Amino acid sequence: MVDIATRVHNHNWKIDPIVRSLIDTDFYKLLMCQSIFRNKPETTVTFSLINRSTSVRLAELIDEGELREQLDHVRSLSLSRGESTWLRGNMFYGKRQMFRPDFMEWFEALRLPPYHLEKRDGQYELTFEGSWPEVMLWEIPALAVLMELRSRAVLKGMGKFELQVLYARAMTRLWEKIERLKGLETLRIADFGTRRRHSFLWQDWCVQAMQEGLGATFIGTSNCAIARKRDIEAIGTNAHELPMVYSALAESDAELAQAPYQVLADWHEEHDGNLRIILPDTYGTEGFLRNAPDWLTTWTGIRIDSGDPAKGAETAIRWWKARGEDPMQKLVIFSDGLDVEKIEELHRQFHGRVKVSFGWGTMLTNDFRGLAGDRLAPFSLVCKAVSANGRPTVKLSDNPNKAMGPAAEIERYKRVFGVGAQAAVEVVV
């Protein structure tokens, strides 16, 4: 096993590439990329970095030259032969050749497009503009680079013994969480922690700890590079990016109202009825389900990613019952801001009523709260599609604190999707 403290200590002398592979990304990005490659390849999209934790002044912590060096290294990457073989031939969700030959040929030739970087008010403005299938693959590596450079900036100058103690404490903290999770009957949990991880080495260590500590209860990781390296399942389906861009392309309010469902219709066709997980909260879960076509009720389950997770699950259960479906046969995936206490609480509340699964993210792969004077505490950094073909994107979410887009467009979307008063929830990660 890698001695993480020694490796971190050695960062003081030599730049160590943070992202070493184009598949050091979340599985859902590749699944979505293939769908976009097929359905919307000519769409021009702009992605932008958004630091929702403005007290963390990244441009004062991270050296611009080091950031550019890491981003330039990402641009030099291409798929290795082994990575291509894994994607082409591996079985994902019980299906071989999940990725079609035409998509793989395109992906094998890909180099990520240029980026634009500047400093403003203590923050970095980092944007990517180009064809949607290309620029969307910047999201995860860009976040991983910034998160790890922040970690390195805080850890720089620490002695080897100080680092050993720091990581020993973080390892103990995670192992204590794993010990608690062992007591949950029929638990299903996956690592969703790539985008805001402390570092790649730390995420890999966390995955190994979950493998050993939880056994078959640990069902896989969203990170493709780690899934390949550790011979475990790659986990993921789709994200808010799809309805945000489809909606921005809508020519009328009527088209806008149907855009989230058109996303899932294209998804269904793309995957022959596989990977049928609904992400309903982009423009409000209740409105989405209220107006959903009947064919969506037969899908496998729902992912809850904003707002009060218990409320979201109860809404889904009521919807299934009202449409004549048995909730016991449905899957609810919780994935928003989870830590062990919330996992325990939700498992107790919904075990036996639905099939329950958890995507554990930042508090799995970056829980350094209270360590190094709390300077390593996780923060909320995202990289989102902000425009499509020159039109602004909008996200409402079930939590108004996560809403994004121009104010006038947010109000228009609330009207079109029938979003009323929402309860604000603090965004930690």
Side-chain angles (χ1 to χ4, degrees), residues 302-323:
I302 277 179
R303 181 159 72 91
I304 308 294
D305 196 54
S306 65
D308 181 337
K311 180 181 177 182
E314 295 288 3
T315 300
I317 289 171
R318 287 195 301 272
W319 177 66
W320 282 317
K321 287 181 176 178
R323 299 291 185 101

Short mmCIF file of all heavy atoms in Angstrom, two decimals, residues 302-323:
data_model
loop_
_atom_site.label_atom_id
_atom_site.label_comp_id
_atom_site.label_asym_id
_atom_site.label_seq_id
_atom_site.Cartn_x
_atom_site.Cartn_y
_atom_site.Cartn_z
N ILE A 302 -34.95 6.16 -8.64
CA ILE A 302 -34.75 7.61 -8.60
C ILE A 302 -33.50 7.92 -7.77
O ILE A 302 -33.21 7.24 -6.79
CB ILE A 302 -35.99 8.29 -7.97
CG1 ILE A 302 -37.06 8.49 -9.04
CG2 ILE A 302 -35.66 9.61 -7.29
CD1 ILE A 302 -38.34 9.13 -8.52
N ARG A 303 -32.78 8.96 -8.20
CA ARG A 303 -31.66 9.46 -7.40
C ARG A 303 -32.06 10.78 -6.75
O ARG A 303 -32.55 11.68 -7.43
CB ARG A 303 -30.40 9.65 -8.26
CG ARG A 303 -29.20 10.16 -7.46
CD ARG A 303 -27.89 9.86 -8.17
NE ARG A 303 -27.64 10.66 -9.34
CZ ARG A 303 -26.98 11.82 -9.36
NH1 ARG A 303 -26.54 12.35 -8.21
NH2 ARG A 303 -26.77 12.46 -10.50
N ILE A 304 -31.87 10.87 -5.44
CA ILE A 304 -32.21 12.07 -4.67
C ILE A 304 -30.93 12.86 -4.44
O ILE A 304 -30.02 12.39 -3.76
CB ILE A 304 -32.84 11.69 -3.31
CG1 ILE A 304 -34.00 10.70 -3.50
CG2 ILE A 304 -33.27 12.94 -2.55
CD1 ILE A 304 -35.19 11.26 -4.22
N ASP A 305 -30.87 14.11 -4.98
CA ASP A 305 -29.59 14.82 -4.97
C ASP A 305 -29.68 16.26 -4.48
O ASP A 305 -28.72 17.01 -4.60
CB ASP A 305 -28.98 14.80 -6.38
CG ASP A 305 -27.50 15.15 -6.38
OD1 ASP A 305 -26.74 14.50 -5.64
OD2 ASP A 305 -27.12 16.08 -7.10
N SER A 306 -30.81 16.66 -3.93
CA SER A 306 -30.89 18.00 -3.34
C SER A 306 -32.12 18.08 -2.45
O SER A 306 -33.00 17.23 -2.49
CB SER A 306 -30.95 19.10 -4.42
OG SER A 306 -32.15 19.00 -5.17
N GLY A 307 -32.17 19.15 -1.64
CA GLY A 307 -33.29 19.32 -0.74
C GLY A 307 -33.25 18.33 0.41
O GLY A 307 -32.23 17.71 0.70
N ASP A 308 -34.38 18.17 1.09
CA ASP A 308 -34.51 17.21 2.18
C ASP A 308 -34.61 15.81 1.59
O ASP A 308 -35.59 15.50 0.91
CB ASP A 308 -35.78 17.54 2.98
CG ASP A 308 -35.99 16.61 4.16
OD1 ASP A 308 -35.46 15.49 4.15
OD2 ASP A 308 -36.72 17.00 5.09
N PRO A 309 -33.60 14.95 1.81
CA PRO A 309 -33.60 13.64 1.14
C PRO A 309 -34.78 12.76 1.54
O PRO A 309 -35.32 12.03 0.70
CB PRO A 309 -32.27 13.01 1.57
CG PRO A 309 -31.87 13.74 2.82
CD PRO A 309 -32.42 15.13 2.66
N ALA A 310 -35.20 12.83 2.81
CA ALA A 310 -36.34 12.03 3.25
C ALA A 310 -37.62 12.49 2.55
O ALA A 310 -38.43 11.67 2.11
CB ALA A 310 -36.49 12.11 4.76
N LYS A 311 -37.79 13.80 2.44
CA LYS A 311 -38.95 14.33 1.75
C LYS A 311 -38.96 13.90 0.28
O LYS A 311 -40.01 13.52 -0.27
CB LYS A 311 -38.97 15.86 1.84
CG LYS A 311 -40.16 16.51 1.14
CD LYS A 311 -40.10 18.03 1.24
CE LYS A 311 -41.26 18.66 0.47
NZ LYS A 311 -41.19 20.16 0.52
N GLY A 312 -37.78 13.94 -0.35
CA GLY A 312 -37.69 13.52 -1.74
C GLY A 312 -38.06 12.06 -1.93
O GLY A 312 -38.77 11.70 -2.88
N ALA A 313 -37.61 11.20 -1.02
CA ALA A 313 -37.93 9.78 -1.11
C ALA A 313 -39.42 9.53 -0.87
O ALA A 313 -40.04 8.71 -1.55
CB ALA A 313 -37.09 8.99 -0.11
N GLU A 314 -39.99 10.24 0.09
CA GLU A 314 -41.43 10.08 0.36
C GLU A 314 -42.24 10.53 -0.85
O GLU A 314 -43.26 9.92 -1.20
CB GLU A 314 -41.83 10.88 1.60
CG GLU A 314 -41.22 10.42 2.90
CD GLU A 314 -41.78 9.09 3.41
OE1 GLU A 314 -42.63 8.49 2.71
OE2 GLU A 314 -41.35 8.66 4.50
N THR A 315 -41.81 11.61 -1.50
CA THR A 315 -42.49 12.08 -2.71
C THR A 315 -42.45 11.00 -3.80
O THR A 315 -43.46 10.75 -4.47
CB THR A 315 -41.84 13.37 -3.22
OG1 THR A 315 -41.93 14.39 -2.22
CG2 THR A 315 -42.49 13.86 -4.50
N ALA A 316 -41.30 10.36 -3.97
CA ALA A 316 -41.17 9.30 -4.96
C ALA A 316 -42.07 8.11 -4.63
O ALA A 316 -42.73 7.54 -5.51
CB ALA A 316 -39.71 8.86 -5.07
N ILE A 317 -42.11 7.74 -3.37
CA ILE A 317 -42.93 6.60 -2.95
C ILE A 317 -44.42 6.89 -3.24
O ILE A 317 -45.15 6.03 -3.77
CB ILE A 317 -42.69 6.29 -1.46
CG1 ILE A 317 -41.30 5.67 -1.28
CG2 ILE A 317 -43.77 5.33 -0.93
CD1 ILE A 317 -40.88 5.53 0.18
N ARG A 318 -44.86 8.09 -2.89
CA ARG A 318 -46.26 8.46 -3.16
C ARG A 318 -46.54 8.42 -4.66
O ARG A 318 -47.61 7.97 -5.10
CB ARG A 318 -46.56 9.85 -2.60
CG ARG A 318 -46.67 9.91 -1.09
CD ARG A 318 -47.32 11.22 -0.65
NE ARG A 318 -46.57 12.39 -1.09
CZ ARG A 318 -45.57 12.94 -0.40
NH1 ARG A 318 -45.21 12.42 0.77
NH2 ARG A 318 -44.94 14.00 -0.85
N TRP A 319 -45.59 8.90 -5.45
CA TRP A 319 -45.77 8.92 -6.91
C TRP A 319 -45.89 7.51 -7.46
O TRP A 319 -46.79 7.23 -8.27
CB TRP A 319 -44.59 9.66 -7.54
CG TRP A 319 -44.60 9.70 -9.04
CD1 TRP A 319 -45.50 10.35 -9.84
CD2 TRP A 319 -43.65 9.08 -9.92
NE1 TRP A 319 -45.17 10.18 -11.17
CE2 TRP A 319 -44.04 9.40 -11.25
CE3 TRP A 319 -42.51 8.31 -9.72
CZ2 TRP A 319 -43.33 8.96 -12.36
CZ3 TRP A 319 -41.79 7.87 -10.83
CH2 TRP A 319 -42.20 8.19 -12.14
N TRP A 320 -45.01 6.62 -7.04
CA TRP A 320 -45.10 5.24 -7.52
C TRP A 320 -46.44 4.60 -7.14
O TRP A 320 -47.08 3.96 -7.96
CB TRP A 320 -43.94 4.41 -6.94
CG TRP A 320 -42.65 4.63 -7.65
CD1 TRP A 320 -42.44 4.71 -8.99
CD2 TRP A 320 -41.36 4.79 -7.04
NE1 TRP A 320 -41.10 4.92 -9.26
CE2 TRP A 320 -40.41 4.97 -8.09
CE3 TRP A 320 -40.91 4.79 -5.72
CZ2 TRP A 320 -39.04 5.14 -7.85
CZ3 TRP A 320 -39.56 4.97 -5.48
CH2 TRP A 320 -38.63 5.14 -6.53
N LYS A 321 -46.85 4.79 -5.89
CA LYS A 321 -48.13 4.21 -5.46
C LYS A 321 -49.29 4.77 -6.26
O LYS A 321 -50.19 4.02 -6.68
CB LYS A 321 -48.34 4.48 -3.97
CG LYS A 321 -47.47 3.65 -3.05
CD LYS A 321 -47.76 3.97 -1.58
CE LYS A 321 -46.96 3.07 -0.65
NZ LYS A 321 -47.21 3.40 0.78
N ALA A 322 -49.30 6.07 -6.50
CA ALA A 322 -50.38 6.70 -7.25
C ALA A 322 -50.43 6.22 -8.69
O ALA A 322 -51.51 6.19 -9.31
CB ALA A 322 -50.22 8.23 -7.22
N ARG A 323 -49.30 5.80 -9.22
CA ARG A 323 -49.24 5.31 -10.60
C ARG A 323 -49.33 3.78 -10.67
O ARG A 323 -49.08 3.20 -11.73
CB ARG A 323 -47.95 5.78 -11.27
CG ARG A 323 -47.77 7.30 -11.37
CD ARG A 323 -48.73 7.95 -12.35
NE ARG A 323 -48.47 9.37 -12.52
CZ ARG A 323 -47.82 9.91 -13.56
NH1 ARG A 323 -47.36 9.14 -14.52
NH2 ARG A 323 -47.66 11.22 -13.63
#
